[in-house]
Amino acid sequence: MKIAVVSLLAAALVPLKAPAQGAYTLHYDKPASTWTEALPVGNGRLGAMVFGNTADELLQLNEATLWSGGPVSPNVNPGAYAQLAPARAALKAGDYAGAAGILTKMQGRYSESYLPLADLRIHQQGVGQVASYYRDLDIRDGIATTRFSAGGVNYRREVFASAPGQVIVVRISADRPRALSLDIGASSQLRFAGQAQDGAIVLRGKAPARVDPNYYKGPSEPVVYDDPAGCRGMRFETVVQPRIQDGTLEAADGKLQIRGASEVVLLVSAATSFAGFDKCPDSAGRDEHALATAPLRTAAGKSYAALRAEHVADVRSYFDRVDLRLGGTDGADRSALPTDRRLEDYARGGRDPQLEALYFQFGRYLLTASSRTKDAPANLQGIWNKDVRPPWSSNYTTNINLQMNYWPVEAANLSEMFTPLDGLVRHLAVTGAETAQSYYRLPGWVVHHNSDIWAASNPVGDLGHGDPKWANWYMGSAWLSRHLWEHYQFSGDKEYLRSTYPVMKGAAEFMLGWLQEDAQGRLVTMPSTSPENVFRYGDGKENSVTMGSTMDMGIVRDLFTNVTAAGAALGVDADFRARIAAARARLLPFQVGARGQLQEWNLDFDEVEPHHRHVSQLYALHPAREISPLATPDLARAARRTLELRGDDGTGWSLAWKVNFWARLLDGDHAYALFRNLLRLTKDSDPAWSGHGGAYPNLFDAHPPFQIDGNFAGTAGVIEMLLQSQNGELHLLPAMPAAWASGSVRGLVGRGNFVVDIAWQGGRLASGEVLSRLGGQCTIRSATPIAIPALKLRSQKSALGYTLTFDTRKGARYRVVPG
């Protein structure tokens, strides 16, 4: 068929005014008093939290590979396998408590901790009474700025983390010559030796050999530097190199003293001895000194203007791929208000669609700023952490949180940021194969619920101190394999699929061996939990361990479906695909409980916490696609009932997951209501955690405490409201909330590598455009009739809205209009 092509010009979208000056800016009228008020900059490897103080500025620094510990053999509990058969026997006998007790004997060591690098302090002399204070973070440029006046002088600081330059750059300037007198020092919470000499600060340090989680109160020391039985800790180095215009520079009392300068530019570089997940960072580590100083030599030959320009060009090359503009009944622009004030007004019910769009783009900014380091994906806090024992070790939590970090990566047009997670998954396939053999005598690979930069794969718990409801969870390899398949679905990169197929297949091989027959001859996981919930059974007894939890069965179905599709796409492994198909047909089916809900466990137990933050039984609805209103309406109704019973409150990341759930159920107003809750202002001064999440003044997600996964899942949830593609089609505006009556989005990506622009008025499609990067067949679904004028095609009525299917040509653009 001959293909005609028509491009949709920007003018064809609904006419909306250009974004206001502050559309991409978080800004405040006072310095940060807490870490969750400071502003994050990052280049994917180096990160800084900028406080914006006047006389005593603080930048808290991080480096993506700075972790405690080193490689640890997965076989740290040689007696684990002997416990598996007794645990299964107890489950078959209905002895859930006995099974849980046995499982604690199958646990290994805790994962290691992501660590803070250094504190950079800048004392500015002569700052007395301050006026005209302002600080901001421009997420389109990736620059944090602080401005204030004192003594008749206007001061300005700019901070950015340059990916092209691999340095953090701090520029301090004044509008009066020679007005800058500064004392600059650096320190670390880790063991370090620092000195200021030869015009620079050099801080050299050592990470601990082991750091136990912040919640662990066991018999061992929580932080261990000298561990003769294991690998000694990682080395690191931080260098602060100033360039001054006018004035003098001297070293004294471990600090740099700058007097009478007109401008100061600090170049901050850092590196660690990390050499790979399987190499001791001490005995086999890289040369951190050479790695830290090399970027400084390159940056020394560039002016501040050149460093800034190449940084801005780099950040914008990713940021500008997607543009979101939201309107509604109230078009007032509140961007002139400080961001914390906007959050306060919003929490009182105010309308602020520009703030909602800013929050969406902030998630994209954070992903670009924290996920650009090979083999070191964004952790629970991205790359920003101030504590030696941060919440949950700031590790890779694989029973949802690590995966949640990467939900928006493909659809938000940031596919390159997936590379660090891809690297970690491949490493986990190596360590996970050892764990599968040593713990379970099974082929393939397995990952439990915590990991780290060393690709830890064993069940954690320090040999018996972990609760099985989170420690003894076996589904990490299967869930992570979904992301490998997703990357192929969005990119269409057949060579990538060929390289990663053995990893996906290995996860399926483990699951084939892990599945057991229940009393009815159905295949179930055994033992099994539903993270991190507890059920009630018998005469008021409580436990978390059973067989065939709904989440497990959804993950296995999803894995088998994806591996089958991958093998078919490559034309390989017909026999293996047949084995998977036969096993899939015998899996315990999804079950609807007495309350009309999708059951969470194999039996219709009551939850001890009916409003638990995890809604794990709905994995098949999101992120998977086994349940949908179109293909499985009865199960979709059960999923809806589950959400109704679970309630609309929760921690930050839980709220964000629920946004995605409701969007998948095509209920945009309910999704939007939960999205608003993501922006409930939370402050560190609030009472102890009550389970109600929201956003800190700097827009970081409040679990609380801070977890970045809520930011990323919130961004993903907005995309799910505007575009879905999990069912082999581009569903335009599938869950449009009434609050977003008009607007436009440009640059979202659907599976099949289609780039989609959409504009809407009155909640209905006004126009759209599809760019086909690969060619191939495309199906579009819409709630209202649509047409492609250039192809003289009109949509057909379907069971859910209207669909239109057409062939595309690689590189061609197709205009979509109401029809």
Side-chain angles (χ1 to χ4, degrees):
M1 179 174 74
K2 183 178 180 180
I3 303 295
V5 180
V6 172
S7 291
L8 175 65
L9 301 176
L13 296 172
V14 288
L16 293 175
K17 61 183 179 181
Q21 184 68 31
Y24 304 126
T25 302
L26 290 68
H27 67 95
Y28 307 84
D29 58 6
K30 56 184 176 296
S33 60
T34 64
W35 191 82
T36 50
E37 294 176 359
L39 296 173
V41 297
N43 64 10
R45 186 179 66 86
L46 299 174
M49 295 294 286
V50 184
F51 280 68
N53 295 318
T54 54
D56 291 287
E57 176 61 300
L58 170 62
L59 275 69
Q60 293 189 310
L61 307 178
N62 291 100
E63 207 275 356
T65 64
L66 182 55
W67 289 69
S68 63
V72 177
S73 170
N75 190 19
V76 295
N77 186 349
Y81 176 68
Q83 308 300 322
L84 181 57
R88 285 175 168 166
L91 286 173
K92 290 179 179 180
D95 182 6
Y96 304 124
I102 294 169
L103 289 183
T104 62
K105 301 175 183 178
M106 298 184 71
Q107 295 167 2
R109 299 291 185 188
Y110 283 116
S111 64
E112 291 297 338
S113 179
Y114 179 61
L115 299 172
L117 174 68
D119 290 346
L120 174 62
R121 297 184 182 274
I122 303 169
H123 174 67
Q124 184 167 332
Q125 296 184 349
V127 176
Q129 189 71 26
V130 169
S132 303
Y133 181 88
Y134 173 89
R135 69 183 175 103
D136 72 20
L137 172 65
D138 186 327
I139 60 175
R140 184 171 180 243
D141 290 348
I143 298 177
T145 301
T146 303
R147 303 195 307 260
F148 60 91
S149 300
V153 181
N154 296 316
Y155 297 98
R156 181 184 183 95
R157 300 187 194 127
E158 290 187 333
V159 183
F160 59 87
S162 169
Q166 285 299 301
V167 290
I168 294 173
V169 182
V170 183
R171 178 180 182 261
I172 307 167
S173 61
D175 66 355
R176 180 183 297 173
R178 300 181 180 276
L180 296 173
S181 291
L182 310 171
D183 292 332
I184 301 168
S187 62
S188 176
Q189 297 180 63
L190 308 179
R191 284 186 179 175
F192 79 98
Q195 55 185 346
Q197 64 179 30
D198 299 328
I201 294 175
V202 180
L203 186 154
R204 298 184 178 95
K206 190 88 164 178
R210 189 183 76 245
V211 174
D212 284 329
N214 66 313
Y215 53 82
Y216 179 55
K217 311 298 183 185
S220 65
E221 290 294 323
V223 179
V224 177
Y225 275 92
D226 301 312
D227 182 5
C231 172
R232 297 186 63 189
M234 187 183 299
R235 302 184 304 274
F236 64 90
E237 181 167 324
T238 304
V239 183
V240 182
Q241 181 175 293
R243 298 196 311 216
I244 69 172
Q245 178 182 329
D246 304 323
T248 61
L249 170 64
E250 295 181 352
D253 300 324
K255 299 179 181 179
L256 295 177
Q257 296 181 345
I258 298 172
R259 301 291 182 264
S262 299
E263 177 185 280
V264 176
V265 175
L266 304 179
L267 302 178
V268 183
S269 182
T272 75
S273 61
F274 177 70
F277 78 104
D278 55 352
K279 294 180 177 62
C280 176
D282 181 49
S283 60
R286 301 176 72 192
D287 184 343
E288 69 280 5
H289 175 71
L291 294 170
T293 54
L296 294 173
R297 289 193 296 271
T298 302
K302 298 180 180 180
S303 66
Y304 173 78
L307 289 168
R308 188 184 193 278
E310 69 178 9
H311 162 72
V312 169
D314 172 73
V315 173
R316 289 187 180 182
S317 72
Y318 298 106
F319 189 93
D320 287 351
R321 294 174 182 179
V322 174
D323 178 70
L324 174 64
R325 307 185 192 184
L326 298 175
T329 56
D330 179 2
D333 183 359
R334 292 175 171 79
S335 61
L337 288 174
T339 302
D340 51 349
R341 287 264 308 280
R342 292 177 78 180
L343 287 169
E344 289 174 354
D345 291 350
Y346 191 84
R348 289 192 289 265
R351 294 242 330 117
D352 196 340
Q354 294 87 3
L355 177 63
E356 294 163 351
L358 175 65
Y359 185 83
F360 164 81
Q361 292 284 27
F362 185 59
R364 296 183 66 247
Y365 164 81
L366 293 175
L367 191 56
T368 306
S370 64
S371 184
R372 299 173 71 172
T373 300
K374 185 176 182 293
D375 305 334
N379 59 54
L380 275 173
Q381 297 185 189
I383 55 171
W384 301 279
N385 167 42
K386 63 180 175 62
D387 300 311
V388 175
R389 297 181 74 197
W392 301 286
S393 301
S394 195
N395 63 18
Y396 301 130
T397 303
T398 63
N399 66 6
I400 186 171
N401 310 97
L402 172 60
Q403 294 91 331
M404 185 177 272
N405 283 0
Y406 287 86
W407 283 352
V409 69
E410 306 290 349
N413 217 332
L414 296 172
S415 186
E416 298 93 330
M417 308 308 154
F418 172 70
T419 300
L421 179 60
D422 180 65
L424 177 65
V425 173
R426 292 172 191 254
H427 297 164
L428 286 167
V430 175
T431 59
E434 297 178 38
T435 298
Q437 277 293 320
S438 63
Y439 277 75
Y440 311 117
R441 305 293 192 267
L442 288 176
W445 61 290
V446 62
V447 172
H448 298 79
H449 108 293
N450 277 164
S451 190
D452 51 29
I453 201 168
W454 314 110
S457 57
N458 60 266
V460 302
D462 200 31
L463 301 174
H465 291 88
D467 191 323
K469 71 181 180 181
W470 44 262
N472 297 91
W473 183 80
Y474 314 86
M475 310 304 293
S477 63
W479 189 338
L480 288 167
S481 293
R482 152 161 280 280
H483 285 263
L484 307 179
W485 174 242
E486 289 263 289
H487 186 66
Y488 167 71
Q489 281 192 299
F490 278 92
S491 69
D493 186 342
K494 191 68 70 72
E495 289 308 308
Y496 170 81
L497 182 63
R498 202 178 309 280
S499 72
T500 200
Y501 174 75
V503 179
M504 296 174 61
K505 179 181 177 181
E509 287 175 323
F510 175 82
M511 282 301 156
L512 283 173
W514 184 248
L515 292 169
Q516 303 289 303
E517 284 191 354
D518 68 5
Q520 290 75 40
R522 301 168 301 191
L523 293 180
V524 297
T525 53
M526 187 190 311
S528 174
T529 61
S530 185
E532 300 168 7
N533 209 356
V534 175
F535 59 84
R536 186 173 286 111
Y537 69 101
D539 187 18
K541 299 176 183 177
E542 297 177 3
N543 214 285
S544 61
V545 181
T546 179
M547 60 180 77
S549 74
T550 300
M551 181 194 216
D552 281 10
M553 304 318 295
I555 291 177
V556 174
R557 275 190 178 82
D558 184 49
L559 174 68
F560 286 177
T561 299
N562 296 339
V563 172
T564 297
L570 296 171
V572 299
D573 268 348
D575 291 345
F576 187 69
R577 282 184 274 143
R579 286 181 60 200
I580 290 176
R584 194 181 190 283
R586 296 179 58 201
L587 294 175
L588 175 69
F590 295 121
Q591 302 174 92
V592 178
R595 294 167 290 170
Q597 89 285 11
L598 192 70
Q599 284 184 194
E600 186 163 1
W601 292 277
N602 63 320
L603 299 177
D604 196 5
F605 296 122
D606 288 332
E607 309 95 330
V608 171
E609 294 182 63
H611 301 145
H612 196 272
R613 61 193 177 277
H614 286 260
V615 198
S616 302
Q617 63 269 45
L618 297 191
Y619 172 93
L621 174 66
H622 182 278
R625 59 181 180 86
E626 299 294 324
I627 296 175
S628 74
L630 183 64
T632 59
D634 290 343
L635 290 176
R637 281 190 289 272
R640 174 183 289 269
R641 182 60 179 151
T642 296
L643 289 171
E644 291 169 350
L645 293 169
R646 210 58 141 204
D648 286 348
D649 215 335
T651 61
W653 67 263
S654 177
L655 290 171
W657 197 5
K658 291 173 183 177
V659 172
N660 288 269
F661 284 142
W662 283 108
R664 285 285 176 94
L665 291 172
L666 310 182
D667 191 333
D669 288 336
H670 209 138
Y672 175 75
L674 290 166
F675 178 76
R676 283 190 64 95
N677 288 345
L678 276 176
L679 287 164
R680 292 183 299 204
L681 180 61
T682 303
K683 295 183 179 180
D684 285 336
S685 58
D686 284 352
W689 172 52
S690 62
H692 302 287
Y696 289 110
N698 64 359
L699 293 189
F700 270 170
D701 172 71
H703 173 65
F706 164 53
Q707 280 188 199
I708 205 167
D709 44 21
N711 289 104
F712 294 138
T715 292
V718 172
I719 297 173
E720 291 287 339
M721 287 189 265
L722 302 177
L723 174 70
Q724 294 181 25
S725 63
Q726 69 275 4
N727 294 316
E729 58 191 25
L730 303 175
H731 194 166
L732 309 184
L733 308 181
M736 173 56 57
W740 296 343
S742 63
S744 68
V745 66
R746 172 183 55 80
L748 299 182
V749 182
R751 292 166 180 84
N753 212 342
F754 296 105
V755 183
V756 180
D757 302 344
I758 313 169
W760 62 93
Q761 289 276 29
R764 297 165 65 93
L765 179 74
S767 59
E769 181 183 73
V770 176
L771 165 63
S772 177
R773 286 175 170 167
L774 297 176
Q777 192 177 81
C778 177
T779 296
I780 300 176
R781 182 177 297 275
S782 172
T784 55
I786 55 175
I788 299 180
L791 301 182
K792 299 180 180 179
L793 292 176
R794 294 184 180 277
S795 60
Q796 302 295 315
K797 186 79 172 71
S798 74
L800 184 67
Y802 297 80
T803 62
L804 191 159
T805 300
F806 59 105
D807 292 327
T808 71
R809 190 177 68 198
K810 182 178 180 179
R813 298 176 183 269
Y814 301 89
R815 184 185 178 193
V816 181
V817 299

